[in-house]
Amino acid sequence: MSPFGCWGLPAALLALFCCPGSREGFEIRMYPEQLLVEPGGSKLVNCSTSCAQPEAGGLETALTKSLLQSGPQWNQYLVSNISQDTVIYCYFTCFGDQKLKSLDVSVFYPPKQVLLKLQPAWVAAGRPFTVECHVPAVKPLESLTLTLLHGKEALCNKTFTGEKNGTRGATVTHNGTAHREDSRHNFSCHAHLDLRSRGGSILHGVSEPQMLKVYGAFQSPSQPKPWGTAMLTSPGTRHPSSRSPE
Ligand SMILES: *[C@@H]1O[C@H](CO)[C@@H](O)[C@H](O)[C@H]1NC(C)=O
Ligand SMILES: *[C@@H]1O[C@H](CO)[C@@H](O)[C@H](O)[C@H]1NC(C)=O
Ligand SMILES: *[C@@H]1O[C@H](CO)[C@@H](O)[C@H](O)[C@H]1NC(C)=O
Ligand SMILES: *[C@@H]1O[C@H](CO)[C@@H](O)[C@H](O)[C@H]1NC(C)=O
Ligand SMILES: *[C@@H]1O[C@H](CO)[C@@H](O)[C@H](O)[C@H]1NC(C)=O
Ligand SMILES: *[C@@H]1O[C@H](CO)[C@@H](O)[C@H](O)[C@H]1NC(C)=O
């Protein structure tokens, strides 16, 4: 049985949770407690206080704001055109005493584009190739994970750390050696922007699948040929410059 079972709470413990600082202190609350917004976005902010009759109250910010509604103990604002990370403050004055509460505003850029590049796209068996995944303009980088996949197998995972303001984009690369079987599964890249710790959700982005074309595996070692020739003679392969699939 849990010590905090519903009926077992001693009266003394209940008293601890009741009526904090009702005589002197007053509190300021902001709703929401964190603000996560896409560039140029707008959000509603509600500033409220426990002070029964505040003399003054307001919102301190460099952003565009407008007071939409208010009550004796609260003000609701629309904060708009949010383009970069910032902090906004809510204040109230109660019996000559002023208090301030801050709210972190973070601007996020979703991973809209996930660009995957295989280099070279045609490669001889046994030769090196590189898989590169790039996500331009994504933010915050410290919430981003890029995963390179070959079929369903994860080749590598990368999480990022970034300066707060940066929107430079993120890149992950993987170096491999081509095997004939590599063309059985496509390569792809998945981007996850995990905004849960900031009051958001997980945003996903996926690249187009890409196939690595491996040639030369059927060449007999006794008949070495230049790669360009091998490419044309390997069964089941096509030259990369041939346009039509027919
Ligand atoms: C703002 O918050 C206060 C305190 O929680 C609440 O009483 C009030 O209804 C809220 N106003 C709006 C417009 O949501
Ligand atoms: C929105 O913010 C940007 C940059 O902060 C500014 O250039 C633009 O004029 C603002 N737009 C409006 C409608 O206020
Ligand atoms: C990559 O990260 C995800 C979760 O972030 C995890 O499920 C997966 O096992 C990781 N893969 C590798 C290859 O580390
Ligand atoms: C972000 O950029 C703004 C102006 O571009 C600057 O005022 C602010 O200090 C920067 N913040 C960080 C954490 O670098
Ligand atoms: C892949 O190889 C290139 C040189 O060919 C090197 O610059 C790069 O650091 C390598 N990347 C990884 C992830 O090993
Ligand atoms: C690989 O991706 C292409 C599209 O780029 C698709 O047509 C093909 O079926 C995929 N192959 C496999 C094995 O999933």
Side-chain angles (χ1 to χ4, degrees):
M1 179 80 175
S2 147
F4 299 109
C6 295
W7 316 113
L9 269 184
L13 195 52
L14 273 175
L16 274 181
F17 292 109
C18 179
C19 323
S22 44
R23 210 172 57 86
E24 288 191 347
F26 69 101
E27 279 173 17
I28 297 179
R29 271 190 298 156
M30 285 176 96
Y31 184 84
E33 290 173 346
Q34 290 174 309
L35 220 55
L36 186 68
V37 60
E38 275 197 80
S42 305
K43 287 282 175 179
L44 291 173
V45 175
N46 185 349
C47 289
S48 61
T49 179
S50 61
C51 178
Q53 285 177 304
E55 292 118 61
L59 191 71
E60 196 56 56
T61 175
L63 298 166
T64 311
K65 65 174 178 187
S66 57
L67 179 64
L68 295 187
Q69 296 183 66
S70 62
Q73 290 175 277
W74 57 268
N75 296 315
Q76 188 195 45
Y77 299 90
L78 181 69
V79 181
S80 45
N81 197 24
I82 306 171
S83 60
Q84 63 193 23
D85 292 352
T86 182
V87 181
I88 63 184
Y89 299 93
C90 180
Y91 65 88
F92 280 101
T93 310
C94 188
F95 292 107
D97 185 15
Q98 190 181 69
K99 281 193 180 167
L100 207 65
K101 178 135 185 157
S102 65
L103 173 65
D104 286 329
V105 180
S106 21
V107 176
F108 71 95
Y109 289 70
K112 277 192 187 135
Q113 280 182 293
V114 183
L115 307 169
L116 183 69
K117 198 163 70 181
L118 294 178
Q119 256 185 335
W122 283 66
V123 62
R127 301 292 297 168
F129 69 99
T130 300
V131 188
E132 183 187 289
C133 177
H134 179 67
V135 183
V138 60
K139 187 170 132 46
L141 280 184
E142 59 270 30
S143 302
L144 181 72
T145 303
L146 292 185
T147 307
L148 283 180
L149 292 166
H150 184 211
K152 289 189 170 139
E153 180 198 355
L155 297 175
C156 66
N157 247 4
K158 189 171 174 190
T159 52
F160 294 83
T161 52
E163 65 274 33
K164 240 177 169 299
N165 270 344
T167 50
R168 282 177 312 148
T171 304
V172 60
T173 59
H174 171 79
N175 290 336
T177 302
H179 300 285
R180 175 80 190 139
E181 312 81 71
D182 286 345
S183 30
R184 277 198 219 130
H185 301 289
N186 281 328
F187 289 88
S188 63
C189 180
H190 289 234
H192 300 255
L193 193 66
D194 187 346
L195 300 172
R196 287 175 300 176
S197 66
R198 297 159 191 261
S201 55
I202 304 182
L203 305 176
H204 299 273
V206 187
S207 72
E208 291 286 324
Q210 300 238 354
M211 189 190 284
L212 184 71
K213 291 159 192 129
V214 184
Y215 62 86
F218 296 144
Q219 287 313 127
S220 142
S222 60
Q223 301 172 299
K225 287 186 179 175
W227 292 330
T229 314
M231 212 153 65
L232 292 168
T233 53
S234 294
T237 58
R238 273 195 302 269
H239 193 274
S241 65
S242 65
R243 301 269 158 177
S244 160
E246 290 307 318

